[in-house]
Amino acid sequence: MKKKAPARAARITLGEVEELLFREAALLDEWRLDEWFGLLTEDARYEVPSNDRPDADPASTLFTIADDIDRIRGRVTRLKDRNAHAEFPRSRTRRMISNVRIVERSVTELRVEANFVVYRFRRNESARQYVGRYRHLLRAERGRLKIARRQAVLDAMELGSMGLVSFIL
């Protein structure tokens, strides 16, 4: 009897996961939003939970951002529009990703966590820092690793002084 090849998710290495997260950070920093959108699955979700209840369900709790794929598509379209005053001229950002770890594997998916710092430079304002951890659900689709869910959990307890998070964390 011929043995079945192991599922793709079972063979994905930490290096491949890091490469995806580092590529994603570079695409966002370079404002290559269409290419970034290509890293997402067709049912992707993008979430920034309330910092006082980071493990809550977005269906029943107020989230800073709780976007499905259609809202993500709309967000990208708005961010690229020259009339989007919140991001025109666009913010300059620099993302630092560290402590990447695979926390769970299934046959088709990986749960991954990583720490991040996003430095945001906007017009003549002082640099702002957004610090926290990412929680990703990654899926292998047609030989490519893609992002099915991306959650940015901010460490700051007070968000008012951080300004708008209209850019993608």
Side-chain angles (χ1 to χ4, degrees), residues 2 16 31 44 54 76 82 98 118 124 137 144 152 158:
K2 193 172 185 181
E16 290 172 291
W31 209 248
V76 167
R82 293 180 62 90
S98 69
V118 178
N124 295 325
L137 178 64
R144 289 185 56 210
E158 191 276 319

Side-chain angles (χ1 to χ4, degrees), residues 11-153:
R11 296 183 307 198
I12 292 172
T13 67
L14 181 60
E16 290 172 291
V17 170
E18 288 175 327
E19 180 60 32
L20 173 68
L21 298 184
F22 297 158
R23 181 165 184 253
E24 178 196 27
L27 290 174
L28 289 170
D29 285 343
E30 295 164 11
W31 209 248
R32 292 165 48 193
L33 299 178
D34 292 323
E35 289 178 68
W36 171 77
F37 192 78
L39 298 178
L40 307 179
T41 63
E42 286 300 314
D43 63 344
R45 294 202 50 83
Y46 166 56
E47 301 169 342
V48 179
S50 165
N51 53 6
D52 62 338
R53 297 196 52 211
D55 295 316
D57 180 358
S60 60
T61 305
L62 182 62
F63 268 43
T64 303
I65 297 170
D67 291 353
D68 62 11
I69 194 68
D70 292 327
R71 290 185 65 124
I72 296 168
R73 186 177 289 113
R75 182 180 296 276
V76 167
T77 299
R78 280 189 310 280
L79 287 172
K80 291 181 346 183
D81 186 341
R82 293 180 62 90
N83 294 316
H85 69 279
E87 281 301 324
F88 187 80
R90 71 174 177 87
S91 297
R92 288 178 295 126
T93 57
R94 189 63 56 207
R95 289 163 174 78
M96 305 295 164
I97 313 294
S98 69
N99 296 32
V100 178
R101 55 215 171 275
I102 299 170
V103 295
E104 188 179 326
R105 290 180 190 262
S106 72
V107 174
T108 58
E109 298 176 332
L110 297 170
R111 292 201 180 277
V112 172
E113 292 187 0
N115 295 336
F116 71 84
V117 177
V118 178
Y119 297 96
R120 180 186 190 199
F121 304 90
R122 178 96 178 112
R123 294 188 180 130
N124 295 325
E125 298 174 10
S126 298
R128 298 201 175 170
Q129 298 175 36
Y130 302 83
V131 179
R133 70 182 159 129
Y134 287 134
R135 293 189 262 195
H136 285 93
L137 178 64
L138 306 179
R139 194 179 299 144
E141 289 187 352
R142 294 181 289 281
R144 289 185 56 210
L145 195 55
K146 291 194 149 199
I147 300 168
R149 183 176 180 196
R150 181 175 195 263
Q151 198 173 66
V153 181

